[in-house]
Amino acid sequence: MAKDLNISMLMDFYGQLLSERQYDMMDMYYNQDLSLAEVAEEVEISRQGVRDSIKRGEKQLVGFEEKLGLAKRFSDITAQIEEMDKIINKLDDTDDVRKLKEISQKLSEDI
């Protein structure tokens, strides 16, 4: 089973909406990089059971993203801040530019 790294990001946004057991299995598989067999041994179920649970969790996370769009919004805002920073850095260093840099830094820290 190939790992989709976007699922790790979706777990950051929506992971707490999964059951604790399902979240734990997905965390071990995606974030701790354990194999299905290692996760199965840890939670004391079959490898197929782990795979089925992870597949269901992936489907739920993708569904949450389709409905809520938080990860896409985060990604879009991050890209816009990066673009804004590039433009600001090309400007002459004035008080207004320094203020814009401070605002951009604060936005980057807040997201």
Side-chain angles (χ1 to χ4, degrees):
M1 187 164 86
K3 292 185 183 181
D4 179 356
L5 298 181
N6 290 326
I7 296 295
S8 288
M9 187 165 103
L10 294 179
M11 285 182 62
D12 290 340
F13 284 94
Y14 308 113
Q16 297 306 309
L17 299 174
L18 301 172
S19 73
E20 185 176 348
R21 183 171 170 92
Q22 189 172 38
Y23 176 85
D24 288 344
M25 283 189 272
M26 292 187 72
D27 179 60
M28 285 185 263
Y29 182 71
Y30 281 103
N31 297 332
Q32 298 175 35
D33 203 28
L34 271 60
S35 69
L36 292 174
E38 290 169 324
V39 174
E41 185 177 317
E42 185 72 28
V43 296
E44 299 178 342
I45 64 172
S46 70
R47 181 188 173 284
Q48 186 63 41
V50 170
R51 183 186 181 286
D52 292 346
S53 181
I54 288 173
K55 285 297 185 186
R56 277 192 310 275
E58 289 171 351
K59 194 173 203 173
Q60 286 178 291
L61 293 173
V62 169
F64 295 144
E65 177 60 16
E66 287 172 355
K67 290 177 183 156
L68 301 172
L70 297 177
K72 181 176 180 346
R73 185 165 182 213
F74 174 82
S75 179
D76 291 347
I77 290 170
T78 301
Q80 290 171 348
I81 290 172
E82 289 173 4
E83 182 65 26
M84 185 175 63
D85 285 343
K86 288 178 187 176
I87 294 168
I88 290 170
N89 288 330
K90 292 179 182 177
L91 300 174
D92 293 330
D93 199 21
T94 65
D95 288 339
D96 289 338
V97 171
R98 280 191 286 280
K99 183 72 172 171
L100 287 172
K101 286 180 181 179
E102 290 173 14
I103 292 169
S104 175
Q105 174 95 23
K106 176 95 172 83
L107 287 172
S108 293
E109 292 169 359
D110 287 349
I111 58 169

